[in-house]
Amino acid sequence: MDIHEHQAKDILKGFGVPVPKGFVAYSPEQAAYCARALGGAGPWVVKAQVHSGGRGEAGGVKLCKTDAEVMDYAASLLGTRLVTKQTDAQGKGVYRLYVEEASDIAQELYLGFVLDRKSERIMIVASGHGGMEIEDLAHEDPDSLVRSVIDPAVGLREYQARDLGFRLGLTGPQVTQFVTFLQACYRAYRDLDAMMVEINPLVITGKGDLVALDAKMSFDTNALYRRPQVAALRDPGQEDPREAMAADNGLAYVGLDGDIGCIINGAGLAMASMDMIQLAGGQPANFLDIGGGASPERVCQAFRTVLSDRNVSVILVNIFAGINRCDWIAKGVIRAYTDVGIEIPVVVRLSGTNVEEGRKIIRESGLPIISADTLAEAADRAVAAASQKIAAE
């Protein structure tokens, strides 16, 4: 789960990370008031709060010298959709802004904490060139990246932080600040089950102080049940509506660009099914793992979620029942025809526990359900049904 910049800064500030003073605004008038509340005569930085990087290049960040300029810029940005190089063509809706005091920047650094699955450790990635996306840094100046792996048994040690500071070219009091800065970020990462903490840029001010000028955090969705203070920061308005709907109903869903909707149990089987659809010449519209022990009610909700995508022309149900039962799935499919109102072809492939009973329920339902015995057969029939529907239209 991603959160907004201002939320990440609030969290990091609570752990001792220095951040510029700022306020959130939801209207042009409030943005101007926030600028005045920060004191002084400006300038101020106004930032669109969207779950995406590259906001500056897309026009989502501006340095404003007067509160009138803050209001005008806020009015031009709020309610629009910001398209960056990290979003699709639809962009992200801008419904809140962050107004903060401008900083005196002498140098920009990059700092990130990420989970390295290969080493099963938290890895710190840093660079003496901040303000750039990490992908661009890795491509344009890979030698500038320095890394340090944290052993979870002992945590981040001071000598590691000092070594990293020296490798970035810091000296004297800056190294001491850097050690404190890194340890605060690490505590936030560890204590809140984060998946990423990124400070970009981490700036050195004209006075030599280290400040987190921008911050990004993402969290392990599977751990949100024990982090209610983090779960409360979720902004469904920044999510794919289909994925938000699925999350609200406990379904693992990722929206894609195809037209064959998938309802499958098990992440591995879902991936294999998507590959088979593409091998048959089609394009999957989504990844959906219905999970184990799926009741007929849960199957109905899965159908509602898949059908919320208007591009879906065929639904493929592929179940290998272990914890699940094929008869439950079959009853769910039939119930979906009544409760959801399915008007597109549905291909069902069942295997595993109570498979014969499940197939019998499908067969005797009298509904136009297309049955298949194997995954390859199911994929071929789904692609054929999609092609026929397109031809008919």
Side-chain angles (χ1 to χ4, degrees):
M1 184 190 82
D2 296 328
I3 62 174
H4 289 293
E5 173 196 355
H6 72 90
Q7 295 168 330
K9 284 182 173 177
D10 284 343
I11 289 175
L12 293 173
K13 183 180 178 181
F15 282 87
V17 175
V19 300
K21 187 178 180 181
F23 298 108
V24 183
Y26 297 89
S27 69
E29 295 77 12
Q30 190 178 13
Y33 174 81
C34 289
R36 293 190 294 269
L38 287 170
W44 304 279
V45 181
V46 183
K47 303 179 181 181
Q49 296 298 283
V50 295
H51 291 175
S52 174
R55 294 173 298 169
E57 296 177 0
V61 178
K62 184 175 182 179
L63 181 69
C64 300
K65 297 180 179 179
T66 66
D67 57 352
E69 190 177 353
V70 169
M71 182 181 290
D72 291 342
Y73 176 64
S76 70
L77 195 57
L78 284 168
T80 65
R81 299 191 70 83
L82 190 68
V83 180
T84 77
K85 60 184 179 182
Q86 293 186 8
T87 70
D88 58 20
Q90 300 300 315
K92 298 281 188 179
V94 182
Y95 307 115
R96 66 180 87 176
L97 304 173
Y98 191 52
V99 182
E100 71 177 13
E101 58 189 6
S103 299
D104 177 19
I105 303 173
Q107 183 180 351
E108 295 185 349
L109 310 174
Y110 173 89
L111 176 65
F113 288 73
V114 294
L115 178 63
D116 180 24
R117 298 185 183 277
K118 184 177 181 180
S119 65
E120 300 180 351
R121 299 287 189 272
I122 298 169
M123 178 178 287
I124 302 176
V125 181
S127 173
H129 304 295
M132 298 173 59
E133 297 299 326
I134 185 63
E135 297 84 0
D136 296 335
L137 276 171
H139 175 70
E140 296 179 13
D141 192 6
D143 294 336
S144 74
L145 296 176
V146 294
R147 299 175 175 84
S148 182
V149 176
I150 302 173
D151 187 335
V154 297
L156 176 62
R157 313 310 295 173
E158 286 190 14
Y159 76 86
Q160 281 183 284
R162 282 196 300 270
D163 176 67
L164 202 57
F166 288 132
R167 291 164 68 187
L168 290 175
L170 303 181
T171 59
Q174 291 176 356
V175 175
T176 303
Q177 288 187 55
F178 189 71
V179 171
T180 303
F181 194 103
L182 250 64
Q183 290 181 326
C185 290
Y186 172 69
R187 288 195 302 271
Y189 186 107
R190 178 197 63 195
D191 294 353
L192 297 178
D193 292 307
M195 298 291 287
M196 180 191 69
V197 174
E198 183 181 70
I199 312 296
N200 185 27
L202 162 59
V203 301
I204 301 174
T205 68
K207 295 181 179 180
D209 297 325
L210 271 63
V211 177
L213 198 61
D214 194 2
K216 185 185 298 183
M217 295 184 73
S218 62
F219 299 87
D220 185 353
T221 306
N222 295 318
L224 291 180
Y225 73 94
R226 64 183 183 187
R227 305 294 177 203
Q229 74 276 33
V230 174
L233 301 178
R234 178 189 171 204
D235 182 0
Q238 292 294 307
E239 301 174 6
D240 184 314
R242 301 169 297 173
E243 295 179 12
M245 179 181 180
D248 290 339
N249 290 280
L251 297 171
Y253 179 100
V254 178
L256 302 171
D257 297 329
D259 63 343
I260 298 178
C262 301
I263 299 177
I264 304 165
N265 69 315
L269 184 60
M271 296 298 291
S273 300
M274 293 162 62
D275 288 344
M276 193 62 73
I277 289 171
Q278 290 189 304
L279 187 63
Q283 292 293 327
N286 64 273
F287 166 101
L288 189 150
D289 178 5
I290 199 172
S295 64
E297 293 77 13
R298 188 175 176 85
V299 175
C300 277
Q301 189 54 57
F303 270 94
R304 290 190 183 94
T305 301
V306 172
L307 289 171
S308 67
D309 183 351
R310 297 184 179 275
N311 292 326
V312 171
S313 59
V314 176
I315 295 179
L316 169 61
V317 180
N318 183 23
I319 302 296
F320 186 85
I323 300 174
N324 269 322
R325 287 172 39 179
C326 291
D327 54 327
W328 288 347
I329 301 297
K331 290 176 181 177
V333 172
I334 292 169
R335 180 172 170 178
Y337 266 89
T338 302
D339 294 358
V340 181
I342 300 175
E343 298 179 353
I344 60 175
V346 176
V347 179
V348 177
R349 180 253 180 172
L350 301 175
S351 182
T353 305
N354 289 2
V355 61
E356 293 303 328
E357 185 176 350
R359 289 175 178 174
K360 181 180 178 182
I361 292 172
I362 294 292
R363 188 168 55 250
E364 295 179 353
S365 68
L367 296 170
I369 300 173
I370 304 170
S371 296
D373 295 329
T374 67
L375 173 54
E377 183 182 358
D380 287 339
R381 293 187 175 183
V383 172
S387 298
Q388 291 174 5
K389 191 171 188 300
I390 292 173
E393 293 175 349

